[in-house]
Amino acid sequence: MSQPVKHDFQAEVKQILHLMIHSLYSNKEIFLRELISNASDACDKLRFASLTDASLMEDGAELAIDVSFDEKKSTVTLSDNGIGMDHDEVIANIGTIARSGTREFVEAMSGETKKDAQLIGQFGVGFYSAFLVARKVVLTTRKAGLSASEGVKWTSEGAGDYTIAPVERAERGTTITLYLRKDASEFADGWKLRSIISKYSEHISLPIRMPKMATGGEGDDEPEAKDAQPERVNKGAALWARPRNEITEDEYNNFYTTLSYDPEPPLLTLHNKVEGKLEYTSLLYVPAKAPFDLWDRERRHGVNLYVKRIFIMDDSEHLMPPYLRFVRGVVDAADLPLNVSREHLQKNPGIDRIRGGSVKKILGELRKLAGNEPEKYAGFWSEFGRVLKEGVVDDPDNKDRIAELLRFASTSEDEQKVSLKDYVARMKDGQKSIYFITADSHAAAKESPHLEIFRKQGIEVLLLSDTIDEWLVNHLTEFDGKALKSVAKGAVPDDELPEPEEEKKAHEAKSESYKGLTAAIREKLDGRVKDVRLSKRLTDSPACLVADEDDLGGNLQRILQAAGQNAPEFKPILELNPDHALIEGISPDSPELEDWAHVLLDQATLSEGAPLKEPAAYVRRINKLLAARNVDAPAA
């Protein structure tokens, strides 16, 4: 038989092991939850694989997880008869970590404030939780379908390396033995282990077995004779299959924690059973806090699919759209085949109906929350609002439902608390549109010169500063029969912001008198602007940039460019305020006109929060104009 071979852990694994062994955690007991969860996954994988290859079940024994302990040796042993691993899989699954998120785990656990060990499962490094309590870990395994001589033994003391050796193993599956550290000897106790299983793993459908305990009360934790038949210690009833009135809030919350590794209770729990042509049960949770990887649209671990209580696949992307990727839970369908594949799911109309029903249920519950408990909904929005906005783009069938859930800041409310329904209720008489402005920050939107005429006339404007908002307003073009209109595009609508007759005549007269100046500035800025015209929207600022109604817009162009995409060419319109002293003092015949033209354009660009292409040229022109003004100023 080959000799054991020593291997070094991957660098990031070494960091994780160091954290496990040398950091103090308040909740070491979660090691058992993690190892049982892994064992359950291994059994589920075997059950699924055996649907197409029955020989993998070998002796046909019932799939189960066994937990035992030896108080004298201070060990805890966990065994399963699941799929098992071969030599290469042991190295791939334990010696290295290929999952994204590991670096974030190390950073989170290495900060000044120690995080709770619940993070272990959240970041997908559950096996290493064994080193929370163990000074040494020995794993033996054999993959289903291989011969007994192809077993593998893995040993490590968590010091940066591990050894692998071949071993004879008659049974398929995996056995893990933990040699407990002195400060973790409390876990070599039958009552302690049973209480942990009851707390975290009650819902596991597989039998979790332990040796029968002698009947002497809690102080007598000696197991009965070694040849005694082990007993099941978990109920194993799928929580979602039980009637709602028989499930306690603690049971719901504990099951949520096992799914999400989130120690906080969920914001919403939705337990639903649908009967009829299509039968399925769903148990879905809306978290109270956003997970660390919320913005990774490709990293999904939300809703698990079961068929007749048999696990089929985790994170079925067909059951929940990307904009609801924060939802956790299970769906158990009665009418799907057990050997359903991901390709089959893509074409299955039943899955589409389950997905559609689940989405409507979630959106409906969020709507109730918004109406009945606005403060709670405000907390949800602060965590998940930007993700929910994606639904307006991704899910046109539910666009109107999502629109009711949206919240925005506005010129009347500094935080994102304004619903479109609130806005419509506050619209002025004669106002036909819902006005908004997009910018790369809330401050840039709030201070935009485009708002000046709207503030003067007391018209509320929504302030949109999330990146997704640019796409949102392109897909959500109306609400409650009111068109959404950008204050930075097109002309100011005369029918909604009417001018007094005398102001209208004065503006027409100024337009005529300023024709020479606007034409001269247009010529000086040839190639940089689409047009130069007088503005009706400015009351305090000298100039601003406006996009034509169907143009891209400066903010969207900058977002696309920052993402490395080729944005269509966009030339803004420069609007001038004829009542501003700076504009009144510029002559079309001035020798400094070119400098003034570029300064006005650059100032308007800066007021949008956009960077200048040539900041040094802007500073040089400003200095030149200031120096000229000082020379022309009369002596004191």
Side-chain angles (χ1 to χ4, degrees), residues 416-598:
Q416 290 192 12
K417 292 183 177 180
V418 180
S419 69
L420 292 174
K421 185 178 179 181
D422 293 336
Y423 182 99
V424 170
R426 294 199 290 258
M427 286 173 61
K428 293 187 67 176
D429 290 342
Q431 184 181 342
K432 301 175 183 176
S433 304
I434 298 172
Y435 289 104
F436 68 86
I437 184 168
T438 58
D440 64 356
S441 70
H442 176 73
K446 186 178 179 180
E447 300 302 324
S448 172
H450 298 94
L451 303 177
E452 290 174 2
I453 187 63
F454 295 88
R455 281 203 173 100
K456 180 181 177 181
Q457 298 207 15
I459 293 178
E460 186 176 12
V461 178
L462 301 176
L463 309 178
L464 312 186
S465 55
D466 294 334
T467 301
I468 186 63
D469 288 334
E470 284 286 358
W471 284 268
L472 183 148
V473 294
N474 279 320
H475 288 78
L476 185 66
T477 55
E478 68 169 26
F479 178 83
D480 195 21
K482 314 291 184 187
L484 271 71
K485 183 174 176 58
S486 171
V487 300
K489 283 190 174 185
V492 174
D494 291 333
D495 58 338
E496 295 190 56
L497 285 86
E499 293 178 287
E501 191 60 31
E502 58 274 16
E503 288 186 17
K504 186 176 181 180
K505 289 181 178 179
H507 186 82
E508 290 173 353
K510 285 181 179 179
S511 296
E512 188 65 30
S513 63
Y514 274 90
K515 271 186 178 180
L517 179 63
T518 54
I521 292 177
R522 188 183 305 115
E523 182 181 347
K524 297 297 182 184
L525 296 177
D526 183 40
R528 292 191 64 186
V529 296
K530 191 173 189 177
D531 194 11
V532 179
R533 67 190 184 199
L534 294 192
S535 178
K536 289 186 177 181
R537 72 188 82 219
L538 297 175
T539 60
D540 301 313
S541 302
C544 70
L545 298 179
V546 179
D548 254 349
E549 200 71 56
D550 299 320
D551 279 353
L552 189 69
N555 190 51
L556 180 54
Q557 184 187 47
R558 290 189 292 275
I559 290 172
L560 294 174
Q561 289 172 343
Q565 298 185 32
N566 293 322
E569 186 179 1
F570 161 69
K571 290 183 181 180
I573 297 168
L574 178 64
E575 287 194 352
L576 306 177
N577 180 2
D579 298 320
H580 196 280
L582 197 61
I583 304 301
E584 291 176 338
I586 300 175
S587 166
D589 300 322
S590 170
E592 300 157 343
L593 181 64
E594 184 168 354
D595 289 328
W596 278 117
H598 284 89

Side-chain angles (χ1 to χ4, degrees), residues 215-237:
T215 56
E218 194 165 322
D220 185 355
D221 59 359
E222 288 295 322
E224 290 186 353
K226 291 185 179 179
D227 58 352
Q229 194 71 17
E231 64 179 350
R232 183 170 185 159
V233 296
N234 68 319
K235 292 179 183 176

Side-chain angles (χ1 to χ4, degrees), residues 318 336 340-352:
H318 308 290
L336 294 175
V340 65
S341 65
R342 291 187 183 272
E343 292 73 21
H344 182 75
L345 285 177
Q346 247 176 335
K347 304 169 186 176
N348 191 293
I351 287 292
D352 292 337

Side-chain angles (χ1 to χ4, degrees), residues 111 114 153 249 254 295 341 373 420 427 456 488 516 553 568 610 612:
K114 297 291 185 190
K153 182 178 180 180
E249 184 178 354
N254 286 337
W295 294 105
S341 65
E373 299 181 79
L420 292 174
M427 286 173 61
K456 180 181 177 181
L612 297 180

Side-chain angles (χ1 to χ4, degrees), residues 14 48 51 71 81 169 232-233 265 287 321 341 347 359 375 386 421 431 446 490 503 542 547 588 625 630 635:
K14 291 181 182 180
F48 186 68
L51 294 173
E71 188 176 11
N81 56 354
R169 182 180 169 97
R232 183 170 185 159
V233 296
S341 65
K347 304 169 186 176
V359 169
E375 289 304 315
R386 285 185 294 163
K421 185 178 179 181
Q431 184 181 342
K446 186 178 179 180
E503 288 186 17
L625 292 172
N630 288 336

Side-chain angles (χ1 to χ4, degrees), residues 203-268:
H203 72 285
I204 298 289
S205 60
L206 296 167
I208 302 175
R209 303 181 302 207
M210 287 189 67
K212 287 185 178 180
M213 305 298 295
T215 56
E218 194 165 322
D220 185 355
D221 59 359
E222 288 295 322
E224 290 186 353
K226 291 185 179 179
D227 58 352
Q229 194 71 17
E231 64 179 350
R232 183 170 185 159
V233 296
N234 68 319
K235 292 179 183 176
L239 187 74
W240 60 87
R242 292 163 52 191
R244 280 180 290 187
N245 59 4
E246 295 180 7
I247 305 173
T248 66
E249 184 178 354
D250 283 345
E251 286 179 308
Y252 274 128
N253 292 347
N254 286 337
F255 183 63
Y256 167 71
T257 297
T258 66
L259 287 174
S260 65
Y261 304 101
D262 181 359
E264 292 192 33
L267 179 69
L268 293 174

